[in-house]
Amino acid sequence: MSDRDQVLALFHDHAQAWRPLLVQRHGQAAADCIAREARKELERIIPTIPDIGGDANPMTRHLRRSVTSLALYLAMRRSGHSAEEAGWVIYHAVAARVATLPRQAFDGLTQEQVAAKREEAARSRQRRYPGDWVWEFVEGDGGRTEYGYDFLQCGTQKLYRAHGAEEFLPFYCYLDFVTHRAEGWGFSRTKTLAQGHDRCDFRYRRGEGTACGWPPPFLRDSG
């Protein structure tokens, strides 16, 4: 419950971005109803957010952010909408927001940052918090891949599963292709826990763009 104020502030910010898309797709009255129901869902979810170490854990901010999209999805599902429809809304809301931000320059990780990430990954594998992520830091390969992460367990997946919303998880995870953007760098991922693989393999490569667009590949591949 100590996260309540931060999560509510995030929800208000995210809801402002969702609203015009909901109105566009479903009309003003339906958008208002979904927004009200999402706020109710949020209040129900907040007490269930697991403790994963608070701000000392860098993954806590990701857990907080995943809660608002979960609330929207549960509200939309209650109104008869699909996971794909909720995914469309959050994808386009985030893409519109990111498009207004300047591209950040990134020169790669310093030795100190690499050491810190190794330590963070090692701590995650102690599995101190059941609701946390478990991951490995992947060293650069001496070529284009500068570094990466292999996520073996996902805190967001655990939270969504607890709320019966795993079908929405692939759409939430797809936002990474919108948010992981920096000049001269590219983000790639070939498999995810959300789609039944053994890990999520995040990789960051120099000199490559990040391919993204709607619909997600997993929808196109399914026909």
Side-chain angles (χ1 to χ4, degrees), residues 140-221:
D141 61 8
R144 289 182 303 174
T145 299
E146 177 75 7
Y147 69 100
Y149 310 105
D150 280 349
F151 289 97
L152 309 178
Q153 293 183 22
C154 171
T156 295
Q157 183 181 42
K158 295 170 186 177
L159 180 66
Y160 280 31
R161 180 184 294 143
H163 288 274
E166 275 197 281
E167 67 276 7
F168 178 62
L169 185 62
F171 295 97
Y172 181 78
C173 295
Y174 189 60
L175 297 179
D176 289 331
F177 287 92
V178 183
T179 57
H180 287 75
R181 295 173 14 137
E183 285 291 350
W185 287 80
F187 166 75
S188 69
R189 188 174 59 206
T190 65
K191 52 188 177 179
T192 65
L193 294 165
Q195 292 174 264
H197 297 112
D198 64 336
R199 67 192 62 212
C200 302
D201 58 339
F202 286 53
R203 297 294 184 270
Y204 300 88
R205 296 186 170 95
R206 292 181 181 271
E208 298 183 13
T210 299
C212 63
W214 191 267
F218 58 83
L219 282 183
R220 296 195 297 266
D221 296 343

Side-chain angles (χ1 to χ4, degrees), residues 22-37:
L22 289 168
V23 171
Q24 172 189 333
R25 301 278 278 199
H26 306 293
Q28 186 69 53
D32 290 345
C33 179
I34 290 170
R36 287 193 300 271
E37 289 301 314

Side-chain angles (χ1 to χ4, degrees), residues 7 14 34 46 63 66 79 87 90 97 117-118 121 134 138 145-146 162 166 169 184 219:
V7 174
H14 294 172
I34 290 170
I46 286 175
L63 187 61
S66 70
S79 299
I90 64 164
R97 179 71 59 88
K117 289 184 179 297
R118 287 193 195 114
V134 176
V138 178
T145 299
E146 177 75 7
E166 275 197 281
L169 185 62
L219 282 183

Side-chain angles (χ1 to χ4, degrees), residues 73-134:
Y73 169 60
L74 293 175
M76 292 187 70
R77 185 174 71 180
R78 187 181 297 275
S79 299
H81 299 294
S82 66
E84 180 179 347
E85 178 63 15
W88 185 94
V89 172
I90 64 164
Y91 174 86
H92 286 89
V94 172
R97 179 71 59 88
V98 169
T100 67
L101 302 175
R103 287 290 190 98
Q104 297 180 341
F106 179 58
D107 294 326
L109 300 177
T110 65
Q111 290 184 347
E112 291 77 10
Q113 289 172 322
V114 169
K117 289 184 179 297
R118 287 193 195 114
E119 291 177 8
E120 290 168 359
R123 281 197 298 272
S124 81
R125 294 194 298 277
Q126 295 173 1
R127 293 171 167 80
R128 180 177 177 186
Y129 301 101
D132 200 357
W133 282 254
V134 176

